[in-house]
Every structure is written in structure tokens, then in C-alpha cells.
Amino acid sequence: YTTLSSPLQSFMESQMDAFQEKLKGKYMNATLVSAKTGEILATTQRPTFDANTKEGLTDDFVWRNILYQSNYEPGSTMKVLALAAAINEGVFDPNERYQSGSVKIYTDLVRDYNKVGWGNITYLEGLAHSSNVAFVHVIQKIGVEKWKQYLEAFGFSKSTNSGFANEISGSNPFNSYLQQLSTGFGQGITVTVYQMMQAFTAIANGGQMQKLRLVDHFTDPNTDKETPNPVNSLGKVISPEAAKKTLEYLYQATRMKNGTAYEFNIDGEEIAAKTGTAEFINPETGKYYSNGNNYIFSVVGFAPYNDPKYILYVTVKQPRVAVTVNTILKEIFNPLMKRSLEYSRLSE
């Protein structure tokens, strides 16, 4: 017996059908997890195949499950974990100011997404703007070796022991100072959706990372004896205070009207969200794509932010749309999160 919630899974499937029709992305995934238990309540991907007719299985892509068999550079959703590590180390001051726009790392230049930045701003504003420069400084404050320890504690570059066949572990070469710093804003490291969701449970659960669960219990068909699949904590990655502060700052940043996550506010709900835009390698050139919608766009949300019940993570690769991706992303994120919160209140 799985942990999937039939009402939430069904709603997610219908929303993703409409979402795929609008975005026409190369791939997309949505996963909803219970923050306290690590239970996967709903998860799906597009494109998919018809389980009855097998239509779609001729496409090599659908043989891979995006949840655990596809790795990618996560982009700025990784800043959630970098923020948590910095708070845990006592080196994040939301009111401290820095010069946004660009920062030089030896001969390389790391830029914010708008190239020129927003002037001299606070680190909380940098979080709201999803400033790469801010998080270069954040990782420097933590120290790259200490940051690597956090990445390992959050479970990256190793199997989650999900029990699924052919699970990918991702990679973190950590072999140059630029790459080490870049992992703080989600570049130079590859992950799976499964790993990201599992790491996010530490933020939502007072610093305790929960093992994700898709199986609730087993029933012997001969005796009807039930064997539970227990909730399993993977240990404390950050302090409860750091987890609480992380959610508070994310919530404050989400409420800033000029921030990247502002569109993911939901009337009547308290959402802490973080967006991500990640480059990826063009297989023909071996270099990052540098134009168009050749990115992996994503958003992760925690709700309610002060005591999360749900974590929702949506990723989309190479959408073909003329409007901003956030405008489209919110059309699946907001209804899914709102329906989940309404469902939880009805179940109480």
C-alpha cells in the first residue's frame, strides 16, 4: 500500500495535463511530500504514457522516471539549503548589505541574472531577487569545505536507498573554487528530484531530515497481516532554530513584490517559496546553453511556512512559451498547494 493520496494524486494529474498543454516543456515533474513524515503524497511527470494502451512507450524518454532516474543542475532552489547552512553556522545577517550585480572569482565573473544587479542591497533582498552574487558571498562565509559537509549531510552525490531500480546518485566534483562556490546557487552539482525533496524535509521538520516514503505498509495476501513501513529520520542536519529562521526569511522574501517568488503567494495562505533557473549543457557543443528558454525552471514551496505540512516542488525543462515561466509555473503550483492545504483542513 502506497503513501499516495488518491484525491491529491488525481488532482495533480489533471493539473499537469493542462500544464503540459500550455508549457509544452521537454519534461516536467511535480512532487508533493508530507513535511513531517517524508510521505510522497502525489508525484507525476510529463510526458508520460498510457498504462492501458502503452501509447508513448516508444519514446525512449518515458522509460526514465524523473523522480529518481534523471539528474540535473537544480539552480537557485539550492539556495534554500545554502541559506539554512549559513544560518546554522551563524554567518547570515539578513540586514547586512552587499554590492549586487557581479563578483570576480580569480579570472571568472559570476553575475546576477539581470547582469547589473539591484545596487547595494541587503542579503534578505538578495534572497528575494535570487541573487547569485549574494550566495557566492554566503558560501565564502560558510567556507567551501564546511559547505561540502553540508551537501553530504543533505544527501547529495550518493544513493538515497529509495529501493527503486536504477536510481541515479548525481555528482559533485568540487574540483575548483569557482565550481565549489557555484554549488551554492545550484550550478556545478547534479541532483535528483528525490534528493532535493528529501533534503527539503530538514528545513520543514526542525532540522531533522526524513527518509522519503512511497510505501506505507505491506499486507500478506495469505494472512492479511500488516507490516508497517515506519517513518525514518536520517538525522539532524541543522538546528531547529536554523530551520525556523530559514522558513521565516523565505516567507519574508516571498512577500516582497519585486522578488522572484512573489507570484507564488496564495490568498489566505502563508507560503514560503523559492524559484530556480538552472542552465544545462548543450550535448552538441559541450557548453551551457546561453539563450532562449534553454533552462530548467523550478519552484519549491513550504506551507504553512511557520509549521509546514507540505513541500511542493515543480520542475520544467525548456518550456516553449512567450510569457514568463513563473506566470505559467504558478498555474500548477498555486492550485496544487491550495488544494493540499484545504484537504488537510478537511481531514483534521
Side-chain angles (χ1 to χ4, degrees):
Y1 288 79
T2 72
T3 60
L4 296 176
S5 163
S6 181
L8 296 178
Q9 182 71 38
S10 295
F11 186 69
M12 179 181 282
E13 296 288 358
S14 63
Q15 291 292 304
M16 282 289 275
D17 284 339
F19 190 47
Q20 165 71 347
E21 185 61 29
K22 286 186 177 182
L23 273 186
K24 302 187 188 304
K26 187 170 183 179
Y27 80 64
M28 51 190 67
N29 172 274
T31 300
L32 178 74
V33 164
S34 171
K36 298 296 187 285
T37 65
E39 293 173 340
I40 299 174
L41 300 174
T43 185
T44 193
Q45 69 183 60
R46 294 295 183 277
T48 186
F49 64 93
D50 190 311
N52 295 312
T53 66
K54 307 295 191 294
E55 182 182 355
L57 283 177
T58 54
D59 184 345
D60 177 66
F61 171 79
V62 299
W63 289 96
R64 290 186 295 118
N65 190 316
I66 295 171
L67 184 64
Y68 60 90
Q69 288 182 317
S70 181
N71 61 345
Y72 61 100
E73 296 188 21
S76 292
T77 47
M78 182 63 82
K79 290 172 183 171
V80 172
L81 306 178
L83 172 65
I87 294 170
N88 200 59
E89 290 297 306
V91 297
F92 185 83
D93 179 354
N95 299 312
E96 183 184 353
R97 306 186 78 86
Y98 75 100
Q99 185 62 40
S100 63
S102 64
V103 59
K104 197 166 187 179
I105 307 299
Y106 299 125
T107 60
D108 295 293
L109 202 64
V110 174
R111 294 183 181 274
D112 287 323
Y113 70 82
N114 70 349
K115 309 302 183 188
V116 297
W118 305 268
N120 187 271
I121 59 174
T122 67
Y123 276 92
L124 184 60
E125 290 173 310
L127 175 64
H129 286 301
S130 199
S131 166
N132 290 342
V133 173
F135 278 84
V136 166
H137 296 317
V138 163
I139 300 304
Q140 288 175 325
K141 289 171 182 286
I142 296 172
V144 292
E145 290 304 320
K146 176 64 71 172
W147 169 233
K148 184 180 181 183
Q149 292 174 20
Y150 276 102
L151 288 170
E152 292 170 350
F154 279 122
F156 297 112
S157 305
K158 59 185 177 183
S159 173
T160 64
N161 296 312
S162 65
F164 294 117
N166 304 316
E167 179 187 352
I168 289 176
S169 298
S171 65
N172 181 20
F174 224 66
N175 55 12
S176 76
Y177 190 52
L178 177 63
Q179 187 256 328
Q180 292 164 358
L181 295 173
S182 297
T183 58
F185 52 86
Q187 297 284 173
I189 181 173
T190 62
V191 303
T192 65
V193 171
Y194 205 96
Q195 288 174 327
M196 291 292 281
M197 290 301 288
Q198 191 159 276
F200 289 144
T201 64
I203 311 304
N205 196 38
Q208 291 279 351
M209 191 165 72
Q210 300 293 83
K211 185 175 178 61
L212 293 194
R213 300 167 63 236
L214 188 60
V215 174
D216 181 71
H217 65 274
F218 304 88
T219 300
D220 188 316
N222 298 313
T223 64
D224 289 332
K225 179 182 178 182
E226 289 189 3
T227 303
N229 181 30
V231 174
N232 185 7
S233 173
L234 297 173
K236 185 177 289 186
V237 183
I238 56 174
S239 70
E241 295 77 18
K244 182 179 180 181
K245 279 292 183 185
T246 301
L247 291 166
E248 286 179 3
Y249 293 148
L250 286 171
Y251 173 70
Q252 291 173 30
T254 303
R255 305 283 292 182
M256 291 184 180
K257 288 187 177 181
N258 58 353
T260 62
Y262 182 73
E263 292 185 77
F264 300 98
N265 283 292
I266 301 171
D267 288 343
E269 307 293 356
E270 295 183 322
I271 310 294
K274 182 74 195 74
T275 58
T277 304
E279 298 175 320
F280 63 95
I281 302 293
N282 182 336
E284 294 181 3
T285 65
K287 297 180 180 180
Y288 284 114
Y289 283 103
S290 59
N291 54 34
N293 272 2
N294 290 309
Y295 299 95
I296 297 173
F297 299 93
S298 60
V299 59
V300 61
F302 305 82
Y305 87 92
N306 57 352
D307 186 20
K309 290 184 178 180
Y310 298 109
I311 309 167
L312 176 60
Y313 185 41
V314 181
T315 63
V316 180
K317 183 177 181 179
Q318 291 173 298
R320 296 191 292 276
V321 290
V323 298
T324 64
V325 175
N326 278 4
T327 300
I328 300 296
L329 272 175
K330 75 175 184 180
E331 292 191 23
I332 186 167
F333 177 91
N334 294 22
L336 282 173
M337 186 63 92
K338 185 175 180 64
R339 177 63 65 92
S340 301
L341 291 166
E342 290 172 347
Y343 182 73
S344 72
R345 288 190 282 267
L346 289 172
S347 303
E348 288 176 351

